């Protein structure tokens, strides 16, 4: 129940607005072939999907639990618009491993959202409107392996938002509005192997990433002064993605001498869609190939009909003659 104050001249009335309550029941026969990028547990296991729910913030969603669905592997939402997940979702479906809640208009994650989600292994909350991640919001999901949060409106992440996620292996925070992520937030993820941070506005600072990383995607973050010194602790890193930044400096600034001694596992680098002069890029390519590092280029970023080296685009330096 919510209070509203309506005032007319000098008289104010208190109005009580009763929240609506809607009881939901999921469809175990939903055709999941219509959904792309589903977790494999949703495809190969027992799934149940809620569909065609369109409610505002004054509506409480209560689940109608069916005992025949107790052993579900996956629960999801499709063709739906809700501001937050049903408060008793994981009370009713404690055994589920996967939650698919992409593109359903989520605005917030109340503190108790994942209170009983101890069996969750992957959660997809992509393409929503989440702005913040509160402290310990995912902590009950202690066995979580994959967390997808791309294409939200995230501006702030509490330093303890990912507390207790010791088994998390993949985290996707791309296409958000992040300019800062607290060191502790990512650094405590000791099992993290893949971190996707593309299309934000982040600065890279020493010590902000866990040493367990194998793949780090920093594409399209407007980076100008990037140097491998800032990730020198990532001794397990194999794939570094730097596409679409503003990197243009000489090789010595990006790849200082001796830097590959601590970064002994690094094998693949992506540098497409930056602002290199061709002479600078040539210097970088020679250095990378000398140290047996492969320059990877995504097919859609390959440059063919203009200046490029190994498919990576570059600018010709202008020369003026008297």
């Amino acid at each position: 129940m919510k209070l509203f104050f309506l005032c007319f001249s000098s008289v104010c009335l208190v109005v009580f607005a009763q929240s609506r309550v809607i009881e939901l029941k999921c469809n175990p026969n939903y055709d999941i072939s219509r959904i792309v990028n589903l977790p494999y547990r949703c495809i190969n296991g027992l799934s149940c999907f809620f569909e065609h729910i369109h409610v505002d913030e004054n509506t409480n969603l209560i689940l109608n639990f069916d005992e025949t669905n107790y052993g579900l592997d996956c629960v999801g939402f499709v063709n739906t618009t809700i501001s937050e997940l049903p408060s008793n979702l994981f009370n009713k479906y404690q055994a589920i491993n996967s939650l698919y809640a992409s593109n359903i208009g989520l605005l917030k994650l109340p503190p108790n959202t994942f209170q009983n989600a101890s069996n969750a292994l992957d959660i997809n909350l992509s393409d929503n409107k989440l702005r913040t991640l509160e402290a310990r919001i995912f902590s009950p999901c202690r066995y979580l392996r994959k967390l997808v949060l791309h294409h939200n409106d995230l501006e702030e992440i509490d330093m303890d938002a990912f507390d207790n996620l010791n088994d998390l292996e993949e985290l996707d925070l791309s296409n958000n509005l992040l300019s800062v992520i607290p060191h502790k937030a990512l650094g405590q993820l000791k099992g993290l192997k893949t971190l996707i941070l593309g299309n934000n506005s982040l600065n890279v600072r020493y010590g902000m990433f866990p040493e367990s990383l194998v793949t780090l995607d920093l594409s399209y973050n407007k980076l100008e002064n990037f140097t491998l010194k800032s990730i020198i602790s990532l001794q397990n890193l194999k794939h570094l993605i730097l596409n679409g930044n503003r990197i243009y400096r000489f090789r010595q600034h990006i790849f200082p001498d001796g830097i590959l001694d601590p970064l002994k596992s690094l094998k693949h680098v992506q540098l497409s869609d930056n602002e290199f002069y061709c002479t600078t890029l040539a210097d970088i390519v020679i250095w990378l190939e000398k140290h047996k590092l492969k320059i990877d280029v995504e097919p859609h970023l390959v440059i063919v009909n203009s200046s490029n080296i190994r498919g990576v685009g570059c600018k010709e330096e202008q020369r003026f003659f008297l």
Side-chain angles (χ1 to χ4, degrees):
M1 183 177 294
K2 296 185 177 181
L3 267 65
F4 294 92
F5 293 88
L6 300 179
C7 295
F8 305 92
S9 298
S10 60
V11 179
C12 289
L13 302 176
V14 179
V15 179
F16 294 92
Q18 185 70 42
S19 297
R20 290 192 304 154
V21 177
I22 295 181
E23 193 174 74
L24 304 179
K25 185 173 183 179
C26 63
N27 176 10
N29 300 312
Y30 182 80
D31 182 9
I32 59 175
S33 66
R34 292 183 284 176
I35 307 175
V36 296
N37 298 323
L38 268 183
Y40 75 90
R41 295 178 186 86
C42 295
I43 299 172
N44 298 323
L46 296 175
S47 301
C48 199
F49 278 77
F50 299 93
E51 55 183 327
H52 303 303
I53 309 165
H54 301 282
V55 296
D56 57 26
E57 294 182 68
N58 295 322
T59 304
N60 292 324
L61 302 177
I62 304 298
L63 301 188
N64 181 351
F65 181 63
D66 185 344
E67 290 185 0
T68 61
N69 292 331
Y70 181 76
L72 289 174
D73 299 293
C74 172
V75 167
F77 296 81
V78 291
N79 301 319
T80 287
T81 306
I82 55 178
S83 61
E84 58 185 80
L85 295 169
S87 59
N88 63 339
L89 178 63
F90 288 98
N91 293 341
K92 298 295 186 181
Y93 300 102
Q94 293 185 22
I96 64 172
N97 300 137
S98 297
L99 171 65
Y100 180 83
S102 177
N103 194 26
I104 60 173
L106 289 179
L107 296 174
K108 56 185 177 180
L109 298 174
N112 63 344
T113 300
F114 302 103
Q115 187 172 357
N116 291 291
S118 59
N119 290 305
L121 297 177
D122 51 74
I123 294 175
N124 188 333
L125 302 173
S126 63
D127 293 276
N128 284 298
K129 300 176 182 179
L130 300 173
R131 298 180 65 87
T132 62
L133 296 180
E134 304 292 341
R136 292 174 289 279
I137 183 63
F138 299 107
S139 293
C141 313
R142 60 182 180 273
Y143 301 120
L144 195 64
R145 300 288 180 82
K146 182 177 181 179
L147 178 58
V148 180
L149 289 157
H150 64 71
H151 287 91
N152 273 277
D153 297 325
L154 288 173
E155 296 179 318
E156 183 178 354
I157 296 177
D158 188 274
M159 66 177 180
D160 291 320
F162 307 122
D163 182 56
N164 202 39
L165 300 186
N166 298 322
D167 291 342
L168 191 66
E169 296 180 352
E170 182 174 344
L171 175 60
D172 189 345
L173 290 166
S174 61
N175 290 277
N176 278 287
L177 305 173
L178 295 167
S179 58
V180 176
I181 299 178
H183 276 67
K184 183 185 175 184
L186 299 175
Q188 66 180 326
L189 297 173
K190 304 302 182 183
L192 195 64
K193 291 181 172 54
T194 300
L195 178 59
I196 306 173
L197 295 170
N199 286 280
N200 282 284
S201 298
L202 290 167
N203 287 316
V204 178
R205 296 167 295 157
Y206 177 80
M208 70 182 291
F209 304 125
E211 296 181 7
S212 56
L213 279 184
V214 174
T215 298
L216 175 59
D217 184 346
L218 293 169
S219 58
Y220 298 93
N221 269 278
K222 304 176 184 177
L223 297 174
E224 293 186 9
N225 299 313
F226 179 82
T227 169
L228 288 188
K229 288 181 179 180
S230 61
I231 58 171
I232 198 171
S233 63
L234 305 185
Q235 59 184 357
N236 296 302
L237 190 66
K238 292 183 180 179
H239 305 271
L240 177 61
I241 304 172
L242 295 169
N243 299 329
N245 283 291
R246 296 174 179 171
I247 301 171
Y248 63 93
R249 294 179 181 273
F250 289 96
R251 186 266 300 167
Q252 291 86 348
H253 291 89
I254 306 170
F255 306 104
D257 290 336
I259 193 66
L260 291 184
D261 292 334
L263 294 173
K264 56 186 177 182
S265 297
L266 188 60
K267 300 298 180 186
H268 301 267
V269 178
Q270 293 190 24
L271 291 166
S272 298
D273 202 14
N274 273 281
E275 299 180 0
F276 295 115
Y277 284 114
C278 292
T279 52
T280 301
L281 181 58
D283 185 37
I284 292 172
V285 169
I286 292 170
W287 188 90
L288 290 173
E289 293 185 348
K290 175 183 176 181
H291 291 86
K292 296 181 172 55
L293 269 70
K294 183 179 179 182
I295 302 172
D296 292 337
V297 184
E298 296 288 344
H300 68 283
L301 293 175
V302 174
I303 301 297
V304 177
N305 296 320
S306 60
S307 298
N308 74 89
I309 301 175
R310 303 288 191 273
V312 178
C314 57
K315 300 184 294 184
E316 296 287 352
E317 294 186 68
Q318 294 185 5
R319 292 178 172 84
F320 298 93
F321 300 94
L322 297 176

